[in-house]
Amino acid sequence: MDTVKILEVKQSIFASNDEQAAALRKELKEKKVFLLNLMSAPGSGKTTTLRRTIAALKDELRIGVMEADIDSDVDARAIAETGAKAIQLHTGGMCHLDAEMTRQGLAGLGEEGLDLVVLENVGNLVCPAEFDTGSVKNAMILSVPEGHDKPLKYPLMFQVCDVVLVNKIDVLPYFDFDMDKCRAYVAMRNPNAKVIPLCARTGEGMEEWTRWLKEQVSQWQA
């Protein structure tokens, strides 16, 4: 695929992002569209994890993806290769998406007829956690090379997430990463967050993640 649709999204001019996010969620519920906000630091493996997720679920769910970046269309091209509906969102230099920007992205993507839409947020452990996008659930990826102490350093990111995917577990022997401490630190910030170790490169642990995601979509559409 030579080109993908690129949409320049604009930050909301309205004061209450939370009100807009709640309204967007209500609309998505009526349409039975599940919106997942996927966050992480750059290089954690978001796009690789997403490609694996699409491959596992594409025969059961109709999937669309919004790739948010400051510039480029690299990730949207990678997702388009999976056969999923994809659009690239440019944030105009901003390091996050808010609810209105997400709404613009959904309009550009066209969520009608989709069961699951994934917003791959801008790679950042700070700004994206501060803005409710209107998503049904928030997920974040913490990769082993980043270290098990990230929940202590970036508390809000872990507080707002429903599930934490610990990616790149294939390199655990080569890094000073303590999975038990990681789980404990996540629980300190958010005792309700589910922690799922996986390796997007090899597929290890992906079944637990995709099962959780399918359950969430099914509950939302019920």
Side-chain angles (χ1 to χ4, degrees), residues 44-94:
S44 66
K46 282 199 304 298
T47 305
T48 302
T49 302
L50 192 47
R51 284 173 60 94
R52 277 274 187 181
T53 302
I54 293 168
L57 299 178
K58 65 181 181 180
D59 293 335
E60 301 176 65
L61 299 174
R62 297 165 296 177
I63 303 172
V65 178
M66 299 185 291
E67 290 285 348
D69 282 298
I70 293 173
D71 204 350
S72 91
D73 62 354
V74 173
D75 290 342
R77 286 173 179 265
I79 294 301
E81 291 175 355
T82 67
K85 194 173 184 179
I87 187 173
Q88 182 74 53
L89 308 182
H90 285 173
T91 63
M94 288 177 285

Side-chain angles (χ1 to χ4, degrees), residues 147-158:
H148 57 255
D149 59 353
K150 288 300 178 288
L152 302 181
K153 296 182 177 182
Y154 300 93
L156 184 59
M157 174 60 71
F158 293 86

Side-chain angles (χ1 to χ4, degrees), residues 107-175:
L109 176 70
E111 75 271 28
E112 293 78 10
L114 296 178
D115 300 304
L116 168 65
V117 176
V118 180
L119 168 60
E120 185 177 334
N121 217 315
V122 181
N124 190 316
L125 288 180
V126 181
C127 302
E130 297 175 350
F131 293 85
D132 189 342
T133 61
S135 63
V136 183
K137 296 291 182 179
N138 293 319
M140 72 89 60
I141 299 176
L142 171 66
S143 66
V144 166
E146 293 174 73
H148 57 255
D149 59 353
K150 288 300 178 288
L152 302 181
K153 296 182 177 182
Y154 300 93
L156 184 59
M157 174 60 71
F158 293 86
Q159 287 168 11
V160 303
C161 282
D162 300 283
V163 60
V164 176
L165 307 179
V166 182
N167 191 26
K168 304 185 182 181
I169 58 173
D170 56 325
V171 298
L172 275 170
Y174 309 104
F175 287 88

Side-chain angles (χ1 to χ4, degrees), residues 148-222:
H148 57 255
D149 59 353
K150 288 300 178 288
L152 302 181
K153 296 182 177 182
Y154 300 93
L156 184 59
M157 174 60 71
F158 293 86
Q159 287 168 11
V160 303
C161 282
D162 300 283
V163 60
V164 176
L165 307 179
V166 182
N167 191 26
K168 304 185 182 181
I169 58 173
D170 56 325
V171 298
L172 275 170
Y174 309 104
F175 287 88
D176 185 21
F177 187 100
D178 189 316
M179 188 66 72
D180 291 334
K181 286 184 178 180
C182 178
R183 290 182 182 275
Y185 294 157
V186 170
M188 285 173 56
R189 300 306 187 191
N190 184 352
N192 296 317
K194 185 176 182 63
V195 177
I196 302 177
L198 56 80
C199 177
R201 186 181 66 84
T202 65
E204 183 180 358
M206 289 296 298
E207 184 177 353
E208 182 180 1
W209 156 237
T210 55
R211 182 171 61 249
W212 179 89
L213 186 54
K214 281 193 297 183
E215 289 172 355
Q216 300 304 312
V217 174
S218 178
Q219 291 172 16
W220 182 250
Q221 293 179 333

